[in-house]
Amino acid sequence: MRSSILFLFTAILLAGCGDTIGDIKQAAAGINSKANEAATAISTDVHSIRAVEMEFDNQTFTINDLFKTILRDVQWYYDENGNEQQLKITGTWQDNGLFAEENFSEIEKQQLIENSEIEVILFFQNGVIDEEKTTVTMSQNRQTIIDQKGTEALLNFYTIYTKN
């Protein structure tokens, strides 16, 4: 008797959940589909911008090669406004000569390796980089310790890349 009541109670609960589970599955499929569409649309633009080639010191390399070599834990963010595209690259510092003019002590270098964030923002007009608008910042514990703008900031990255 007891097992019959338990079985009947379970059957009633499951009967009511059938539609709900179906609705949840359908909603999840819709969300996944929209997320995949968005990722595909954005990633195409990001990948094409990351594939832009540059030449410096008789070497040709892509934006992707440049930042994947110099920074650790690289992440890419793309935005487009009319004819201007913006690519924000974030990553963490590694001791490869980047910001060597700051003469960081060994203790400071270790702290930068562990908890710094570098942000580089590149601007493009119709797919061509506008080096003058480049911004580079490095922060540690939410405090900006490096703030550079213009072509010179980007040339530092080019120099480090070609030396390695």
Side-chain angles (χ1 to χ4, degrees):
M1 174 76 164
R2 192 179 234 180
S3 63
S4 297
I5 293 173
L6 183 61
F7 176 75
L8 183 60
F9 180 71
T10 304
I12 291 171
L13 281 176
L14 289 177
C17 292
D19 292 337
T20 304
I21 290 173
D23 292 343
I24 291 171
K25 285 181 180 179
Q26 188 176 12
I31 290 169
N32 189 37
S33 174
K34 290 297 180 189
N36 285 338
E37 286 175 24
T40 302
I42 291 171
S43 65
T44 301
D45 292 335
V46 170
H47 288 301
S48 64
I49 290 291
R50 286 170 53 180
V52 168
E53 289 186 342
M54 296 175 267
E55 189 173 322
F56 181 77
D57 200 22
N58 295 320
Q59 292 186 38
T60 302
F61 48 90
T62 66
I63 290 174
N64 187 67
D65 295 337
L66 176 68
F67 290 102
K68 286 277 195 171
T69 301
I70 295 175
L71 301 177
R72 294 180 307 120
D73 309 319
V74 177
Q75 295 182 6
W76 309 88
Y77 305 93
Y78 176 80
D79 190 26
E80 185 173 339
N81 186 10
N83 290 337
E84 183 175 80
Q85 300 89 28
Q86 178 179 327
L87 182 63
K88 180 169 82 170
I89 304 118
T90 62
T92 54
W93 185 81
Q94 57 182 341
D95 190 7
N96 56 8
L98 186 61
F99 309 126
E101 67 277 4
E102 298 297 320
N103 294 318
F104 296 121
S105 71
E106 291 304 312
I107 293 171
E108 289 172 322
K109 287 179 181 181
Q110 190 58 40
Q111 291 172 346
L112 290 172
I113 289 169
E114 293 172 4
N115 59 26
S116 68
E117 181 175 286
I118 295 173
E119 177 182 276
V120 179
I121 301 176
L122 302 176
F123 295 87
F124 299 82
Q125 288 287 344
N126 299 317
V128 178
I129 192 167
D130 185 349
E131 293 178 346
E132 285 296 317
K133 290 186 174 182
T134 300
T135 64
V136 177
T137 58
M138 180 166 65
S139 58
Q140 183 178 25
N141 301 323
R142 298 186 182 162
Q143 298 253 18
T144 300
I145 56 177
I146 303 284
D147 188 11
Q148 301 175 344
K149 294 180 179 16
T151 303
E152 193 66 33
L154 194 53
L155 290 178
N156 289 333
F157 281 87
Y158 294 168
T159 302
I160 292 165
Y161 180 82
T162 57
K163 286 183 181 178
N164 291 327

